[in-house]
Amino acid sequence: MSFVFSLSQAHAAELNASVFSTTEYTTNARLASNNTQDDVIERVGLSVLLSEQRKRFNANASFNLSQEFYLNNTFSNQTQLTTGFGLFNFDIIEEFLDWRTSFTRNDVLSDSTAGDTPDNREQRNTFRTGPTINYRMTKASTIRLGVNYVHVINSDEEAADTKRVDANASYIYQYNSLTDFSLNGNYDRVIEVKEDGRTRSSSNEHSQNISLDVGMNRRFSHGSFSANIGRNEVRSEDSQTISGNFFKLQLQREQVYYHNIVAQYSESISDSSIGFESFESLIAANPTYSLDNPRLETTTQLDTIKQKTADISISRGIDSYEYTLSAFWSDLNYDIQNNDERSIGLILNLRQQIQEGLTAGFTYQHVKQELLDRPGDGDNATQTYTIDSAYRWTEEFSTNGFIAYQHRDNNKNTFREYEELSLGVTLNWDLY
């Protein structure tokens, strides 16, 4: 249920807010290989989405705030806040000059090889602000120029906090009503680094990330295809230049033998302070994004990372049934640290609407993680089985429940193995 109220200038803002309470029992709260400890985790939280749309101004603020209580004292109580704020996006000169500001706060992992436990979670705050100019040269040609000031703060004391300037330029040509071509460039320069409580401002210690690519976007019946292909290079006065390919490919297609398909591949270079823009965009669009994803980024000392990822998802709905089969692959290559890793995974989700307001589902996930720089640590293989259900009692109240079993094997190091059985119930109350 949404709550809409009028402003003095006859514009409207929309507010959605809900509170939730989750009780979860786990047989292995620390995800330990031995000396396991069970616990009861109580979570209470608030989710809010506020948006406002005007002719020349739009804003949205979304966040998810939760408090975790560990009743058997496995961990101290935890407070989590994830956000996807889009603040002060407005046209200064309509269709020519606008100013965009955003703030995201999301959880990341300190060590990707360890489990998702409170002592392995960190938070990354990213603030962006700056103007964008759109100049239409002809009916089919547009030039876009933008500059952003970016400030990144990581809660991990070993991770570097950075201030940087990001400039971008694009030439966009509309070939026809279905096809666009573009030439794009991006320049990112770190202007200040704060690491271990010490601020470094000397320009020769700071990196520059430069990328150039050509792009195409093609729309067709029941789908679309987009591609950006180019080069990415990171330069620094006190370290070697790192270069690589830049790829961003995406295919969306509906009604392929009654299935919907989404496939994408990306390849780029970034640094461990700010992470990759694809993950930041995901958090901005989904502030309640779950940590149950083996490819979460980590906050480590300032380093340059090459990333390659590929995903494909196939789904179909049949009457009251729906199923989705997803597969992914990722490769992370660190320049300095011995944290190179490769992951591959498969996820199968089945869901049925049993009756109006009642759904049930089953999810199977298999993930293999190779620690390329640390062969002595072995390869992790994690399997997760989850049965869940949801029932909406009224328009405002709903209940969710789950039972899950997770098991991780390691081909060389039994210390990295564990198994866990968990079950939980969530009560949701939509306030507005």
Side-chain angles (χ1 to χ4, degrees):
M1 180 176 67
S2 63
F3 173 63
V4 179
F5 56 92
S6 298
L7 300 178
S8 59
Q9 297 180 352
H11 297 292
E14 183 174 348
L15 172 67
N16 297 91
S18 63
V19 294
F20 62 88
S21 175
T22 300
T23 302
E24 177 183 342
Y25 170 77
T26 173
T27 60
N28 189 359
R30 294 185 180 277
L31 303 181
S33 59
N34 51 48
N35 298 323
T36 61
Q37 181 176 346
D38 64 346
D39 209 335
V40 176
I41 308 169
E42 184 69 29
R43 298 183 182 92
V44 293
L46 171 68
S47 296
V48 174
L49 170 62
L50 175 64
S51 60
E52 181 177 356
Q53 302 290 331
R54 302 191 183 191
K55 181 180 179 181
R56 297 178 61 179
F57 171 84
N58 67 82
N60 67 77
S62 57
F63 67 89
N64 184 68
L65 174 65
S66 65
Q67 180 76 21
E68 290 184 352
F69 303 91
Y70 290 81
L71 303 188
N72 290 345
N73 299 315
T74 304
F75 298 100
S76 59
N77 296 337
Q78 305 289 320
T79 300
Q80 289 183 288
L81 173 65
T82 57
T83 66
F85 286 158
L87 311 172
F88 309 126
N89 298 335
F90 58 92
D91 293 329
I92 300 175
I93 302 175
E94 190 172 4
E95 297 184 352
F96 176 74
L97 175 63
D98 61 74
W99 194 288
R100 299 179 180 274
T101 301
S102 66
F103 174 80
T104 58
R105 183 178 190 179
N106 59 278
D107 289 333
V108 290
L109 300 180
S110 297
D111 180 4
S112 62
T113 65
D116 173 23
T117 57
D119 57 1
N120 192 37
R121 296 176 192 156
E122 300 293 342
Q123 291 182 322
R124 174 185 290 153
N125 299 327
T126 306
F127 172 76
R128 295 177 181 270
T129 186
T132 300
I133 294 175
N134 293 279
Y135 176 65
R136 185 174 291 276
M137 302 173 58
T138 67
K139 186 177 180 180
S141 301
T142 302
I143 291 180
R144 180 175 300 157
L145 305 172
V147 178
N148 285 285
Y149 166 78
V150 186
H151 190 187
V152 184
I153 300 177
N154 293 287
S155 62
D156 188 350
E157 294 182 356
E158 296 183 0
D161 301 333
T162 58
K163 297 179 182 178
R164 60 186 74 205
V165 174
D166 184 318
N168 56 83
S170 298
Y171 170 74
I172 304 167
Y173 177 72
Q174 185 175 354
Y175 179 73
N176 55 40
S177 60
L178 300 177
T179 308
D180 300 330
F181 295 98
S182 64
L183 177 63
N184 311 287
N186 192 86
Y187 176 80
D188 178 310
R189 181 180 179 86
V190 175
I191 57 177
E192 183 178 291
V193 177
K194 186 175 183 180
E195 193 172 15
D196 296 327
R198 183 172 63 94
T199 300
R200 305 200 309 263
S201 298
S202 175
S203 61
N204 64 353
E205 296 184 3
H206 300 157
S207 64
Q208 305 170 61
N209 192 332
I210 304 168
S211 66
L212 293 171
D213 68 86
V214 293
M216 181 194 74
N217 184 43
R218 170 71 176 178
R219 296 167 292 279
F220 48 84
S221 177
H222 304 298
S224 64
F225 173 75
S226 63
N228 292 80
I229 301 173
R231 293 288 290 177
N232 205 179
E233 186 174 272
V234 176
R235 301 174 181 175
S236 179
E237 296 293 334
D238 58 353
S239 63
Q240 64 177 347
T241 297
I242 299 173
S243 59
N245 295 322
F246 177 84
F247 286 102
K248 187 176 181 181
L249 311 175
Q250 185 178 66
L251 171 66
Q252 295 178 303
R253 188 74 166 87
E254 298 177 349
Q255 301 181 14
V256 180
Y257 296 102
Y258 305 103
H259 289 78
N260 298 330
I261 299 176
V262 178
Q264 52 190 359
Y265 175 80
S266 67
E267 185 174 334
S268 59
I269 304 175
S270 185
D271 64 71
S272 56
S273 165
I274 194 170
F276 290 89
E277 187 177 354
S278 58
F279 185 63
E280 184 182 336
S281 300
L282 175 65
I283 295 299
N286 304 276
T288 59
Y289 182 70
S290 171
L291 276 174
D292 298 332
N293 187 315
R295 293 176 297 158
L296 278 179
E297 297 171 0
T298 56
T299 55
T300 49
Q301 69 185 79
L302 188 62
D303 199 354
T304 302
I305 312 172
K306 286 185 176 181
Q307 175 183 254
K308 301 176 183 179
T309 65
D311 303 81
I312 185 170
S313 175
I314 303 173
S315 62
R316 182 184 180 186
I318 308 174
D319 296 329
S320 61
Y321 294 89
E322 180 180 351
Y323 63 85
T324 303
L325 180 63
S326 304
F328 66 84
W329 170 86
S330 71
D331 184 280
L332 292 176
N333 187 305
Y334 289 76
D335 180 45
I336 302 174
Q337 304 171 75
N338 294 323
N339 285 337
D340 293 2
E341 65 175 82
R342 184 179 296 124
S343 299
I344 187 170
L346 176 72
I347 303 172
L348 172 64
N349 179 262
L350 306 173
R351 186 156 299 278
Q352 179 188 9
Q353 183 175 349
I354 300 174
Q355 63 183 47
E356 186 177 358
L358 176 61
T359 59
F362 169 77
T363 302
Y364 169 72
Q365 177 175 283
H366 178 84
V367 179
K368 182 179 180 181
Q369 180 188 36
E370 300 178 63
L371 308 177
L372 303 177
D373 281 342
R374 303 194 300 278
D377 288 342
D379 299 335
N380 297 320
T382 306
Q383 299 184 68
T384 307
Y385 305 83
T386 306
I387 298 174
D388 66 273
S389 63
Y391 183 71
R392 180 163 290 278
W393 301 89
T394 67
E395 191 173 0
E396 294 84 13
F397 291 94
S398 62
T399 305
N400 303 77
F402 77 92
I403 180 169
Y405 173 74
Q406 186 174 84
H407 180 79
R408 184 164 82 176
D409 291 315
N410 189 286
N411 62 347
K412 292 184 180 180
N413 192 338
T414 58
F415 182 73
R416 294 185 175 275
E417 298 182 343
Y418 67 82
E419 62 178 0
E420 179 205 22
L421 177 67
S422 61
L423 54 94
V425 176
T426 299
L427 302 178
N428 297 285
W429 179 22
D430 295 333
L431 301 175
Y432 299 105

